[in-house]
Amino acid sequence: MKTDATRTAELPIYESLIRERGDVVEEARVVAEKTQQQMSQALAGHAAPPVEAGEH
């Protein structure tokens, strides 16, 4: 049986970073898609009220 340290050493660095720090690329993609939807609605005249910084 392999230890966690051995398994971690065998994984590509990106997979290790995702496990340690989260998937920043995925998070950025989700935020970009949400922003794109909001901008499409705003340009169509259906904008939601702006969200203050720190609110989600």
Side-chain angles (χ1 to χ4, degrees):
M1 180 173 203
K2 295 181 181 181
T3 65
D4 283 339
T6 303
R7 281 184 274 177
T8 301
E10 293 174 351
L11 294 175
I13 188 71
Y14 185 72
E15 290 180 24
S16 295
L17 288 171
I18 288 173
R19 268 200 341 270
E20 292 173 15
R21 309 268 179 159
D23 192 346
V24 175
V25 174
E26 173 64 15
E27 292 173 19
R29 183 190 63 75
V30 169
V31 171
E33 288 177 354
K34 183 176 179 182
T35 301
Q36 185 177 20
Q37 289 173 348
Q38 290 173 342
M39 291 304 102
S40 293
Q41 290 176 348
L43 291 172
H46 305 289
V51 176
E52 294 293 324
E55 291 183 21
H56 294 281

